[in-house]
C-alpha cells in the first residue's frame, strides 16, 4: 500500500475515492520514562525515552490508518496528515492521529 502526504501519486491514476480514514493512538508515558525525561529537562539534551515513545506512537497510528484503508477496499492513502496532542491531567498521555483519503489507484 502506498501512503503519501501528497494529494496524488506520480504515474498513478486515482480510480476511486473511498473516503477519509484515520488511525489514532493514545500512549501513556510511564514513571521511569517520565523521571528520565525530567532529568534531561533539568540537565539539558534530548529525551531519548520520549523520542522513542513518539516514534512508536506515530508508527502505530500510520499502521492503524493502513488497516482501516485496507478494510475499505483501498490500496493507497493520499494527503495524510499526522497530528500530536498531549492529554491527561498531568500531560502524561500523548495522542497521535494520522488521517488521509483512502483511494484505489491503477
Amino acid at each position: 500500500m502506498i501512503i503519501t502526504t501528497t494529494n496524488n501519486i506520480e504515474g498513478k491514476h486515482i480510480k476511486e475515492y473511498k473516503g477519509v480514514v484515520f488511525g489514532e493512538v493514545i500512549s501513556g508515558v510511564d514513571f521511569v520514562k517520565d523521571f528520565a525525561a525530567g532529568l534531561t529537562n533539568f540537565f539539558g539534551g534530548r529525551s531519548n525515552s520520549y523520542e522513542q515513545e513518539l516514534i512508536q506512537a506515530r508508527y502505530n497510528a500510520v499502521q492503524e490508518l493502513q488497516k482501516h484503508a485496507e478494510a475499505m477496499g483501498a490500496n493507497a492513502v493520499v494527503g495524510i496528515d499526522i497530528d500530536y496532542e498531549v492529554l491527561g491531567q498531568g500531560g502524561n498521555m500523548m495522542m497521535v492521529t494520522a488521517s488521509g483519503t483512502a483511494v484505489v489507484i491503477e
Side-chain angles (χ1 to χ4, degrees), residues 21-67:
V21 66
F22 296 92
E24 292 121 351
V25 172
I26 297 177
S27 180
V29 179
D30 63 34
F31 173 76
V32 174
K33 289 180 184 174
D34 203 31
F35 180 74
L39 291 176
T40 302
N41 188 36
F42 183 76
F43 292 109
R46 293 173 63 168
S47 173
N48 190 39
S49 58
Y50 276 0
E51 284 179 6
Q52 291 306 311
E53 190 71 34
L54 180 60
I55 289 166
Q56 188 62 49
R58 184 176 54 232
Y59 174 81
N60 290 341
V62 172
Q63 292 301 306
E64 196 70 24
L65 172 110
Q66 180 176 341
K67 182 176 82 173

Side-chain angles (χ1 to χ4, degrees), residues 69-81:
E70 287 171 349
M72 295 170 74
N75 63 358
V77 180
V78 296
I80 73 157
D81 179 49

